[in-house]
Amino acid sequence: HVCRGAISAIPTLLGQPRTPHVEAEITPRKSIIHIRFEPTSSVLQQLKTWIGVFRNARVVTDELVRQQGEISESFQALLRSRQDFRNALQQVPTCVAIAAEGRLLWANPAFAHTLGYESPQEVVGKQAISFVYPEDRPAVAERLAAALDPSSGRHMARLLRRDGEIVFAEICPGVEVECEGASARLIV
């Protein structure tokens, strides 16, 4: 319905009187648009109309191509910015992870190495609470369940490395972020 509405505006965009005689067949692979103009009094008038249509169609097409280029450039800039941000987080010597529904979605190398793993891929998908020393889990779970309040301050927790060794960590309040289209928490 939106496409048909936009298509019905084509005569106006082409400098012609708005007419209800616009038909469109739209499929995922093609669009066929038929525009029937009201009959005019003479062949000369029809010729003038079609010359105007073609002249204005070029302007509309050029504008659409220009806008498509701008959108494409903006999208590429967004992708570069996102990748630059991820690269920066990869290089940070502080443990950084993103978790949703208790599971790690992403972690930087410092997080993995601090916990005795070779790469972040080894920790992604695991329950975040599983890295907390068992006696500290209830307190940490309570802090994580609390509202995302930056004023709640940092707290100390014992983390359990892969080899069983205990590591003391200062954990900052979680910050809500979006990761892979879902709401998540940034853990530092």
Side-chain angles (χ1 to χ4, degrees), residues 33-99:
I33 304 167
H34 297 279
I35 304 172
R36 286 185 287 149
F37 296 98
E38 296 293 330
T40 56
S41 57
S42 71
V43 173
L44 182 60
Q45 183 61 34
Q46 287 180 351
L47 183 60
K48 285 181 183 179
T49 299
W50 281 107
I51 290 172
V53 165
F54 288 121
R55 187 180 306 131
N56 289 333
R58 179 70 181 172
V59 171
V60 170
T61 303
D62 289 347
E63 179 62 18
L64 290 174
V65 168
R66 186 191 67 75
Q67 288 178 6
Q68 182 182 13
E70 285 180 6
I71 291 169
S72 179
E73 287 175 17
S74 296
F75 182 70
Q76 292 302 317
L78 176 65
L79 290 178
R80 282 190 304 275
S81 174
R82 180 179 178 189
Q83 189 58 46
D84 290 347
F85 183 70
R86 281 196 173 209
N87 290 342
L89 286 178
Q90 292 281 359
Q91 302 303 318
V92 172
T94 302
C95 296
V96 181
I98 298 175

Side-chain angles (χ1 to χ4, degrees), residues 3-172:
C3 289
R4 289 193 193 284
I7 290 167
S8 68
I10 289 175
T12 304
L13 290 171
L14 298 176
Q16 301 301 313
R18 189 166 177 95
T19 175
H21 304 293
V22 175
E23 297 173 13
E25 179 185 331
I26 301 170
T27 68
R29 294 210 176 265
K30 67 178 179 177
S31 297
I32 299 173
I33 304 167
H34 297 279
I35 304 172
R36 286 185 287 149
F37 296 98
E38 296 293 330
T40 56
S41 57
S42 71
V43 173
L44 182 60
Q45 183 61 34
Q46 287 180 351
L47 183 60
K48 285 181 183 179
T49 299
W50 281 107
I51 290 172
V53 165
F54 288 121
R55 187 180 306 131
N56 289 333
R58 179 70 181 172
V59 171
V60 170
T61 303
D62 289 347
E63 179 62 18
L64 290 174
V65 168
R66 186 191 67 75
Q67 288 178 6
Q68 182 182 13
E70 285 180 6
I71 291 169
S72 179
E73 287 175 17
S74 296
F75 182 70
Q76 292 302 317
L78 176 65
L79 290 178
R80 282 190 304 275
S81 174
R82 180 179 178 189
Q83 189 58 46
D84 290 347
F85 183 70
R86 281 196 173 209
N87 290 342
L89 286 178
Q90 292 281 359
Q91 302 303 318
V92 172
T94 302
C95 296
V96 181
I98 298 175
E101 298 179 9
R103 290 200 178 282
L104 292 180
L105 301 177
W106 179 88
N108 70 349
F111 185 93
H113 294 144
T114 298
L115 296 174
Y117 293 88
E118 292 295 318
S119 73
Q121 289 77 18
E122 293 180 83
V123 297
V124 170
K126 294 186 179 191
Q127 288 288 331
I129 200 76
S130 70
F131 298 108
V132 177
Y133 188 73
E135 291 176 16
D136 293 351
R137 287 178 185 170
V140 171
E142 183 179 315
R143 297 277 294 204
L144 290 175
L148 297 169
D149 181 10
S151 66
S152 65
R154 300 173 180 180
H155 64 280
M156 293 298 293
R158 292 179 287 180
L159 301 180
L160 200 55
R161 288 177 43 91
R162 182 183 210 173
D163 60 10
E165 186 179 325
I166 296 172
V167 177
F168 288 90
E170 183 178 40
I171 301 173
C172 297

